[in-house]
Amino acid sequence: MKRRTVLQLAAATAAISTLPGLSRAAAPAPLKELRLDYAYYSPTSLVLRRFGWLEEAFKGDGTSIKWVLSAGSNRALEYLNANSIDIGSSAGLAALLARANGNPIRAPYIFSRPEWTALVVRKDSPIRSIADLKGKKVAATKGTDPYLFLLRALKTAGLKRSDIEHVGLQHADGRAALEQGKVDAWAGLDPHMAASELEAGSRLIYRNVAFNTYGFLNVREDFLASRPAEVGKVIAAYERARAWTIANPAEAAKILAEEAKVSLPVALLQVKLRSDFSNPQPSSEHVKALLVAAPILVEESLVKPGTDLNRAITDLLDTRFAQPFIRKA
């Protein structure tokens, strides 16, 4: 094992031992099974799963790792709410929506800043702008960044959700519906969006990276409170995967291509051109992004009247937990 790796593991172990509420006397019994998701919209999760680094980190504790595929933020958040997984990945605004509606999660880590969604039409579509979507069928997966991106995009053109015919489909099905002419437009998600763009000639009619609300690694609140050492190990392993992905983007794209069954050019577009892995530490940057995005949840009646979204943001984002585990550039 390289000296640098030994030192990083030692630092992570020391950091874990100082976490609030954790002492040798109070330490719980080893965890039998850790349940977490992997997702095609989170390339680092695919890297982590491919190399078995999490299994390696927990081997000494006798903890087995259970990986569950999340097809979208909505699925990851549903699994967390149902206690089917302990840790799951989603878009930031989708996580806030879930938290505001009672899903007891916290986000101690940012797995990427992606531009993973845009508004997409077929190559031969007469639609050229958001305004042209009025009265049209638009596919989007509710409870995900693409759906919330769609609502925010419509607002920029003075349109509301009621001005379009929303067709609720999971991301891959949305792509198929678009290319088959069953819908007029689609709020896409990579790698499906990149595949449609490169392989079917689909056009992105509206892009706005500021409306893409980061990739949040969410943890069930009770699990974070009772198992901080285990969460720390997961973040340390994610950091290993993040560093490897930054150093080896072409190889990371190859893993994505194999897992998601997309072409290498599609995977390269997602990993190299539409994903920023540089800032994993939750901070005021991410709080601000959610504060700017949150009003759409009220305007579209996606949360109960009177919901304190500022409090929900504070409750969701943990800006301190991951600091001991973040690798310095």
Side-chain angles (χ1 to χ4, degrees):
M1 186 177 291
K2 293 182 179 179
R3 183 173 181 273
R4 182 181 178 185
T5 302
V6 171
L7 292 174
Q8 287 168 338
L9 289 174
T13 301
I16 289 170
S17 68
T18 64
L19 290 172
L22 187 67
S23 66
R24 289 184 180 180
L31 187 66
K32 291 183 178 180
E33 183 179 66
L34 174 67
R35 307 164 302 168
L36 73 165
D37 77 341
Y38 66 103
Y40 304 146
Y41 52 84
S42 173
T44 47
S45 72
L46 303 180
V47 169
L48 183 56
R49 181 170 174 264
R50 171 66 63 91
F51 290 122
W53 290 331
L54 206 53
E55 288 80 355
E56 176 185 311
F58 280 90
K59 185 177 181 179
D61 299 329
T63 302
S64 64
I65 306 299
K66 180 180 180 181
W67 292 98
V68 177
L69 176 65
S70 288
S73 293
N74 59 324
R75 293 287 183 255
L77 294 163
E78 287 166 8
Y79 298 153
L80 285 163
N81 199 37
N83 194 13
S84 298
I85 58 175
D86 306 304
I87 300 173
S89 45
S90 77
L93 189 55
L96 174 60
L97 174 60
R99 175 80 201 199
N101 285 329
N103 194 337
I105 55 173
R106 288 182 68 78
Y109 185 78
I110 306 298
F111 62 81
S112 73
R113 184 184 188 185
E115 187 189 3
W116 51 21
T117 188
L119 298 186
V120 190
V121 297
R122 290 183 302 281
K123 63 180 179 181
D124 59 351
S125 173
I127 296 172
R128 299 290 170 181
S129 68
I130 297 171
D132 294 336
L133 295 177
K134 187 172 184 178
K136 299 295 193 295
K137 291 183 178 180
V138 184
T141 310
K142 289 193 76 171
T144 68
D145 227 26
Y147 178 69
L148 298 168
F149 180 96
L150 168 64
L151 298 182
R152 296 175 76 186
L154 290 173
K155 187 180 176 184
T156 67
L159 300 179
K160 298 178 294 185
R161 178 173 50 172
S162 58
D163 290 320
I164 64 165
E165 183 180 342
H166 170 242
V167 180
L169 294 171
Q170 202 63 43
H171 302 299
D173 297 327
R175 175 195 173 185
L178 177 74
E179 293 177 5
Q180 293 167 9
K182 296 178 180 178
V183 297
D184 302 294
W186 168 50
L189 182 75
D190 277 341
H192 309 293
M193 182 173 71
S196 188
E197 185 181 2
L198 294 184
E199 296 169 3
S202 298
R203 293 186 290 108
L204 310 187
I205 62 163
Y206 182 73
R207 300 174 67 173
N208 187 339
V209 69
F211 282 7
N212 289 255
T213 56
Y214 300 86
F216 282 27
L217 192 67
N218 308 297
V219 186
R220 287 190 300 104
E221 199 165 36
D222 62 339
F223 189 83
L224 182 61
S226 63
R227 295 284 182 173
E230 286 82 354
V231 176
K233 281 189 176 183
V234 171
I235 290 175
Y238 255 93
E239 277 294 277
R240 185 177 180 182
R242 181 177 72 91
W244 187 91
T245 300
I246 291 172
N248 304 278
E251 290 84 349
K254 184 178 179 182
I255 292 173
L256 171 62
E258 292 170 357
E259 292 287 335
K261 296 180 174 56
V262 297
S263 70
L264 186 56
V266 165
L268 285 167
L269 176 58
Q270 178 180 345
V271 173
K272 296 190 74 171
L273 298 181
R274 292 182 181 168
S275 298
D276 178 355
F277 303 103
S278 65
N279 185 13
Q281 174 62 53
S283 67
S284 58
E285 172 186 341
H286 308 99
V287 171
K288 182 179 179 181
L290 291 182
L291 286 171
V292 171
I296 197 69
L297 304 182
V298 176
E299 293 163 10
E300 293 292 337
S301 301
L302 298 175
V303 294
K304 295 178 181 178
T307 297
D308 187 343
L309 287 175
N310 288 351
R311 174 62 185 273
I313 292 170
T314 300
D315 290 344
L316 172 65
L317 269 168
D318 190 325
T319 58
R320 296 192 300 171
F321 183 91
Q323 287 177 353
F325 312 102
I326 300 296
R327 293 184 175 217
K328 305 303 179 185

